[in-house]
Amino acid sequence: SGGLSLYEVDSEEHKIYCQCLCLLSKLFLDHKTLYFDVGLFRFYVLAESVGGTQEHIVGYFSKEKRSASGYNVACILTLPPWQRRGYGRLLIALSYALTRREGRVGTPERPLSDLGRLGYLGYWKWALCHALQELGAEANVRRLSGRTGMRSEDIVPVLSGLGFMKYYKGVHTVSFNNTELESALASLKAPKVELDETCLNWEPPPKPVKCE
């Protein structure tokens, strides 16, 4: 909506297009190393309408079709002319929405660029604070992980930075009150563009059948 569209592109069906996306991102991401061997990835492309039926790409992320390490993003990029419009956070939100529909948790592949790190930190804080609002006194790391699709390894340091985590006898415990949570939410930047998951027409690909 709002002149934006999201597309899933299978690299096996559109190999050259996906290779071109990787080569384009290399112009802006120093650590980008994958250009041609794209067959194991799917690409999620964000496009903006420019009138009529024409659209242009503003950003994308890729993810492995089957990641042994549990990564839900391999590479993510918002093209420079469209940065600081909330599109990066929208792509991050989409990556976690897909992860939750797959019934698992995920994390982005490292290293992240400086802008990527800032984008993820902003999203994580926002998503976790809203999950704390929903869960209330029942909040713990496991429930937060299930609610957000985030790994506990990402949740714990973010909540610790917000002052919402205590470590006692080897166990991380979520600890906050409503005043602290409202103060944290007030200090965070709201998303400029929000993902409406009710409009997300996507189901997880079927799992490969194991031969016995």
Side-chain angles (χ1 to χ4, degrees):
S1 63
L4 296 174
S5 302
L6 286 161
Y7 299 95
E8 180 182 67
V9 182
D10 191 324
S11 57
E12 289 184 297
E13 298 177 12
H14 305 280
K15 183 177 180 180
I16 294 178
Y17 179 81
C18 293
Q19 288 174 338
C20 288
L21 281 179
C22 291
L23 287 168
L24 177 64
S25 64
K26 177 59 180 172
L27 296 173
F28 311 106
L29 300 174
D30 292 338
H31 61 270
K32 180 67 176 173
T33 57
L34 179 73
Y35 317 122
F36 300 110
D37 188 15
V38 296
L40 300 178
F41 296 84
R42 287 189 176 88
F43 291 72
Y44 297 84
V45 179
L46 179 63
E48 184 180 67
S49 174
V50 290
T53 58
Q54 293 185 331
E55 294 178 314
H56 56 213
I57 178 175
V58 299
Y60 83 96
F61 73 85
S62 61
K63 63 178 291 187
E64 289 182 88
K65 295 176 181 179
R66 289 178 289 277
S67 173
S69 301
Y71 295 134
N72 62 359
V73 166
C75 177
I76 185 168
L77 171 72
T78 303
L79 293 172
W82 293 278
Q83 290 177 359
R84 304 191 184 280
R85 299 189 188 184
Y87 295 159
R89 185 180 286 197
L90 177 63
L91 289 169
I92 294 171
L94 174 64
S95 73
Y96 280 102
L98 301 185
T99 297
R100 291 191 296 273
R101 289 203 181 180
E102 290 171 335
R104 61 187 188 88
V105 297
T107 192
E109 187 173 335
R110 271 65 165 187
L112 294 170
S113 66
D114 291 340
L115 280 177
R117 192 175 300 107
L118 288 173
Y120 268 96
L121 186 58
Y123 172 81
W124 286 337
K125 288 180 179 179
W126 181 263
L128 287 171
C129 282
H130 279 271
L132 289 174
Q133 270 189 325
E134 296 168 359
L135 291 170
E138 296 182 352
N140 57 36
V141 174
R142 180 179 59 81
R143 289 194 177 101
L144 287 169
S145 182
R147 183 65 62 97
T148 62
M150 293 169 51
R151 277 188 176 181
S152 59
E153 294 90 340
D154 296 325
I155 293 173
V156 171
V158 172
L159 289 185
S160 296
L162 291 169
F164 296 163
M165 183 68 65
K166 291 182 179 179
Y167 187 74
Y168 181 69
K169 292 186 177 180
V171 178
H172 288 101
T173 304
V174 177
S175 176
F176 68 98
N177 59 48
N178 289 335
T179 301
E180 292 171 336
L181 182 56
E182 289 173 5
S183 177
L185 280 168
S187 70
L188 298 175
K189 291 182 179 179
K192 295 178 181 178
V193 185
E194 290 198 72
L195 177 69
D196 184 354
E197 293 190 34
T198 62
C199 297
L200 183 59
N201 183 21
W202 187 87
E203 294 296 332
K207 295 181 180 180
V209 178
K210 292 183 178 180
C211 297
E212 296 183 0

